[in-house]
Amino acid sequence: MKKTIIDAGHGGEDPGAVSEKLREKDLTLKIALYTEEHLKNNYEVEVKMTRRNDVFVSLNERARIANRFKADLFVSIHINSSINGTGFESFIYTDTGEQTLQFQKILHKEIEAALVAEGTFKNRGLKTANYFVLRKTNMPAILTENLFIDLDAEYLSSESFLKNIGVAHARGIAKCLNLQEKI
Ligand SMILES: [Zn+2]
């Protein structure tokens, strides 16, 4: 059976991006849990989470969990920060194969479609970066930056919005790994 790792960014003593009312670590965990739920309910797949509650997990440990599990795909979920920023973007490692780029395209498109359905938003595009979890994981790895904690706070405060983004991640992962639907 195919295996995927869902990585909820930050946690515990590391809140990630923060605004007046929101903390990145809470939002990434919610999206990640919705992703896991939708995958488990609908597809034949083994899912592992790097965290399932508000605990600190080092970047090193996140990569180690993924490598030990021998996942087919690693997806790290984040919320962006920048006072004036808005929109969605995704990242893969700067020096990676064609397979990872294909997966990024599939996942990006799926999340983009969910965001368009929610209202207007800025598509910031498919990007590359030398991020630790992308570099240190042995399998195709994608990091999503799901809107911005300040300007996009209204969307991010909605539970149904977070669920839709989680479901979109699950659908994208299912397409990447060609998962069989549960009967
Ligand atoms: Zn982050």
Side-chain angles (χ1 to χ4, degrees), residues 9-10 16-17 24 28 77-80 143 145:
H10 311 278
E24 181 180 0
T28 60
I77 296 170
H78 289 258
I79 309 297
N80 237 324
L143 187 146
E145 290 279 4

Side-chain angles (χ1 to χ4, degrees), residues 35-52:
T35 304
E36 180 195 31
E37 185 186 31
H38 192 80
L39 278 172
K40 285 187 166 172
N41 286 344
N42 295 283
Y43 302 98
E44 302 290 346
V45 61
E46 266 187 72
V47 185
K48 196 174 185 72
M49 310 285 283
T50 53
R51 67 181 181 97
R52 331 180 32 87

Side-chain angles (χ1 to χ4, degrees), residues 2-163:
K2 292 278 177 63
K3 297 176 177 184
T4 187
I5 292 265
I6 314 293
D7 178 46
H10 311 278
E13 67 199 50
D14 168 21
V18 289
S19 65
E20 223 167 279
K21 287 180 186 153
L22 300 171
R23 294 182 303 190
E24 181 180 0
K25 66 172 184 175
D26 302 323
L27 303 175
T28 60
L29 182 60
K30 282 183 179 184
I31 295 170
L33 290 170
Y34 283 129
T35 304
E36 180 195 31
E37 185 186 31
H38 192 80
L39 278 172
K40 285 187 166 172
N41 286 344
N42 295 283
Y43 302 98
E44 302 290 346
V45 61
E46 266 187 72
V47 185
K48 196 174 185 72
M49 310 285 283
T50 53
R51 67 181 181 97
R52 331 180 32 87
N53 40 47
D54 186 19
V55 290
F56 177 79
V57 183
S58 71
L59 295 178
N60 218 338
E61 184 57 20
R62 290 168 198 259
R64 222 174 320 171
I65 291 168
N67 294 339
R68 258 198 316 255
F69 186 56
K70 295 188 169 53
D72 298 292
L73 177 59
F74 176 95
V75 176
S76 189
I77 296 170
H78 289 258
I79 309 297
N80 237 324
S81 70
S82 152
I83 296 290
N84 301 314
T86 176
F88 170 70
E89 60 195 11
S90 65
F91 292 89
I92 56 174
Y93 183 47
T94 41
D95 180 22
T96 188
E98 180 63 22
Q99 170 91 99
T100 305
L101 180 61
Q102 287 309 317
F103 284 176
Q104 181 188 25
K105 284 180 182 167
I106 293 169
L107 185 63
H108 191 103
K109 202 173 150 193
E110 210 57 49
I111 296 164
E112 187 190 332
L115 287 165
V116 167
E118 291 282 340
T120 59
F121 87 104
K122 188 176 174 191
N123 185 359
R124 303 173 67 89
L126 295 89
K127 300 182 176 179
T128 60
N130 185 13
Y131 290 152
F132 187 94
V133 291
L134 299 179
R135 189 173 68 243
K136 293 288 188 182
T137 42
N138 300 334
M139 69 287 308
I142 307 163
L143 187 146
T144 60
E145 290 279 4
N146 301 276
L147 307 188
F148 284 70
I149 200 112
D150 286 300
L151 283 188
D152 299 319
E154 207 178 310
Y155 285 117
L156 295 170
S157 304
S158 154
E159 196 67 32
S160 70
F161 178 83
L162 298 176
K163 183 171 184 177

